Each structure stands twice: as structure tokens, then as C-alpha cells.
Amino acid sequence: MAKDNRRLENNILNMNDEIEMLERYIKGIALRDKESFKKLYEATKTAVYSFALSMLKNVEDAEDVTVMVYMCGSDLESNYGMATKDINEMLYAEI
């Protein structure tokens, strides 16, 4: 039982580290740091694709949606910083 508790605690700590890392990337993107966008993409592309595939049940559609997710983010940013406003709003949302 103690071993299971330690494993659970380690998993929670790892998740917290990942959340903090993603938050840093999002804050970097809000500051228009292209490297942060690349890092966020690398860190999330598999999860985004897997989710799209689970919903759409079609490889090509899931690939298209995955690309569109990241294109929309970069397009919004280029249109008067709209993505930055959205990102800041997400960061400070109380969920």
C-alpha cells in the first residue's frame, strides 16, 4: 500500500511539473516567443492527435484537425494579437 501511495505521489508531482512546463510555454507564446510555440507543439501534438483520432475515428481527418489546431493559434496571433488575449484569458480563468 505504501508503495502504491508513493507511486501516486510521484505521478502527481510529474503531472504538476508538466502543467508548469506547459504554462511556461503558453506564457512564452503570449509574449510572441516562437520557440515556446515549437515546444508547446512538441509537448502536445501526440495528445491533440490522439484526441482527434478518438473522436473522428479517421486518420486523415485527425491529422487535418491536429494541423488546424496549431494553425488557428498562429493565425489568431498574427491577427492583432488575438491569440495572446485568448491565452491570457485562459491562464487567469478560474476553473
Side-chain angles (χ1 to χ4, degrees):
M1 188 69 162
K3 188 176 182 180
D4 288 338
N5 285 341
R6 278 194 303 265
R7 187 178 309 140
L8 179 60
E9 287 173 6
N10 285 336
N11 286 341
I12 290 170
L13 290 173
N14 288 338
M15 286 190 318
N16 286 337
D17 289 344
E18 286 184 40
I19 290 168
E20 287 176 12
M21 177 187 67
L22 294 174
E23 286 176 346
R24 282 195 306 273
Y25 296 158
I26 291 168
K27 288 177 183 177
I29 292 167
L31 297 171
R32 295 186 171 95
D33 176 36
K34 291 181 183 183
E35 191 62 31
S36 291
F37 184 85
K38 290 177 189 176
K39 288 179 180 178
L40 181 71
Y41 171 77
E42 288 300 322
T44 60
K45 67 182 178 182
T46 301
V48 171
Y49 171 76
S50 296
F51 179 72
L53 184 60
S54 73
M55 297 300 292
L56 299 170
K57 311 286 191 243
N58 180 289
V59 171
E60 290 178 5
D61 289 344
E63 289 171 350
D64 289 346
V65 165
T66 300
V67 169
M68 289 170 50
V69 164
Y70 296 101
M71 285 177 58
C72 288
S74 63
D75 284 350
L76 283 173
E77 186 56 48
S78 64
N79 289 325
Y80 310 106
M82 290 172 59
T84 297
K85 293 174 189 166
D86 292 343
I87 289 167
N88 284 328
E89 192 174 302
M90 287 186 282
L91 280 173
Y92 299 106
E94 293 186 25
I95 298 173

